[in-house]
Amino acid sequence: MVGSIEKKISDYIDDLNAGKKPDSHESADESPEFEELAGIVRIVRCLKEPEMPGADYPKKLVAAVTPGQTHTTVSKKKKKAWFAWTAAAAAVLVLALLLNFVLPFTGSTNIVYAMEQAFSGVKAYRGVLEIVSINEEGEEILQSRREVWADRDGRYYVRELEGIRRNLVTVNNGQKKWQVLSEEKTVTIFPAFPDPYRFTFELGDEIRQVGNALKTKVVGEERIAGRTAIVIEVTPGGGLPYRLWVDRDTSLPLKKQCAMYNALQYRASYTEIEFFDAIPDELLAYSLPEGYTETDRYPGQMVNNIQEVVDMAGFEPRLPAGVPDGYRLDGMSVMDGDKTVKFSYVSLDGKNTVIILQAVARDGFRPASMATLGRIGEKTAEVQSPVSDAAGVLADAGPYEGAAGISSIRWQASGMEYAVIGNASLGDLILFADSVSDGLVQIPAEIPEHETIKPQVDVEVDMAVEENEQKSVDNGHTPWKLDPVFTAHVFVNLHISPGGIHGEYAVDYTELAVISNNGVEAIVEVGGDVTQIRRVYLKKLVRQDGTGIWTVVGYDPVSP
């Protein structure tokens, strides 16, 4: 393409020197690059005033066309020939300067074009990539250092050299995608396509993003690792401007720094980069290492830096304000289906695991019926300790097969849903919840002094009967007594049909909702217009823990 422009510019100069209007002058078919260069040629040509014939022009003209020219006349011709050659050489020099410097970097369009043209000649490359986080005080933390291989067909091999998941390997050879987790001695198989994962600062993807940006602008020039780089500011659609350092010699990006967001910004840079004809076959060939287990039941794609989390999830997750003492970050991943972000933390002694889940809220918040209710800021929080709804709460947790010993805190805020799950103490889970929330964490929620929990109508309780019920539940019978909503549901329907319930319940289970539950006392509100009961009050009278049954102790009738 560059050669074609060079030929057109050369013809353009020849036409101008011949006194002709070039056919390509201001043609709608020509590219912006050609028009820009042609304009510069016209400017250069106009710098010298035209020479007009002198008074002796007729005499010189006759001498020039008359046989037997003198030596002096020939010398003038040679001088004119030398001048013409010098002018042509100068034009070639100007053209070379234009092509080598003006074309790649005379405006944002040409910068993008130069990068695209440069990458079109790249078959495969290997680089060492560093990702660094920077806080508002300018403190830098190395997020990851990795070896990357990539080619034009979208295949890649990524091996973590430093970071929270050292030696993690992620490969997509076009037919198969897998991750090798050395600590777990596990190889997880993923679909090769579609593949939502693109490692941070993959050159082809980066150049495509710049090409789709709303605006690019040259803001300076810097030396990076002994190379001269043009610094450009890129304004993407729907995002904050960021900066890109483009190697002047190769026209390929070397470094990227994102804008400050949530008191953090990220910088990715290649400390090494080489170009090859292909990724080595052995890196793209799948094999199960000896002693490893293969699985296609994956809790999510492991990543090694926040920028990749953002790219895969499509939103900026809330980072913990501070990790509680005695814990360290053990991994980050994104569930492909619902784009749930998962941060895993492990205690320093390796005994406890805590997971923070974040996702865009898709439904209204409805706490589990057996959960204790707390408050985080102005929002209701669901607390399960131990977790009873293993299928619902632990679906995205990953390493847990059941609910034994697991507790959780779940809430919604600002269009997002959060959950903190783990086999740690409830106190530790509260600390983690506090680190990703804006408001005060109250587990269980404190009841304001002006609100009373005394029912308008008391229900007489026979403690001997309740103790026998507790024994029955302990032996695996009538488990619904552990659920305050189910217990209130049966009470309300028996109040409507005191002779017994036959067929369908008059009041549906979905018309009841817990409005208060501190683990010992609960209030369930009843909807619909069939019942004469609006609120049911319950207590754990026999045993005040997760195994204790609920007993109805009173209710409020529907207001007339």
Side-chain angles (χ1 to χ4, degrees), residues 248-375:
R248 181 181 275 284
D249 292 337
T250 66
S251 297
L252 293 173
L254 295 174
K255 184 171 78 170
K256 176 182 179 179
Q257 183 160 302
C258 300
M260 184 74 69
Y261 185 79
N262 284 339
L264 281 176
Q265 64 180 161
Y266 297 91
R267 183 182 69 233
S269 55
Y270 281 99
T271 59
E272 300 176 23
I273 191 163
E274 303 171 271
F275 301 96
F276 297 86
D277 289 335
I279 301 174
D281 292 338
E282 61 269 22
L283 298 182
L284 297 180
Y286 175 77
S287 63
L288 185 66
E290 184 177 353
Y292 280 62
T293 302
E294 179 182 294
T295 178
D296 58 2
R297 181 180 178 273
Y298 49 91
Q301 160 92 46
M302 294 291 299
V303 294
N304 219 25
N305 64 82
I306 297 298
Q307 189 58 52
E308 289 174 350
V309 171
V310 174
D311 292 341
M312 290 185 66
F315 63 87
E316 187 90 21
R318 184 180 288 271
L319 299 177
V323 178
D325 291 340
Y327 287 86
R328 63 174 177 84
L329 180 63
D330 188 50
M332 297 180 286
S333 60
V334 180
M335 268 59 77
D336 185 26
D338 57 6
K339 305 300 183 185
T340 297
V341 173
K342 170 181 162 185
F343 295 109
S344 299
Y345 296 85
V346 64
S347 59
L348 299 182
D349 60 11
K351 294 181 180 180
N352 297 329
T353 298
V354 176
I355 291 174
I356 300 176
L357 301 175
Q358 303 181 39
V360 175
R362 293 169 178 80
D363 301 302
F365 187 71
R366 184 178 178 87
S369 60
M370 296 175 67
T372 299
L373 298 186
R375 295 194 74 78

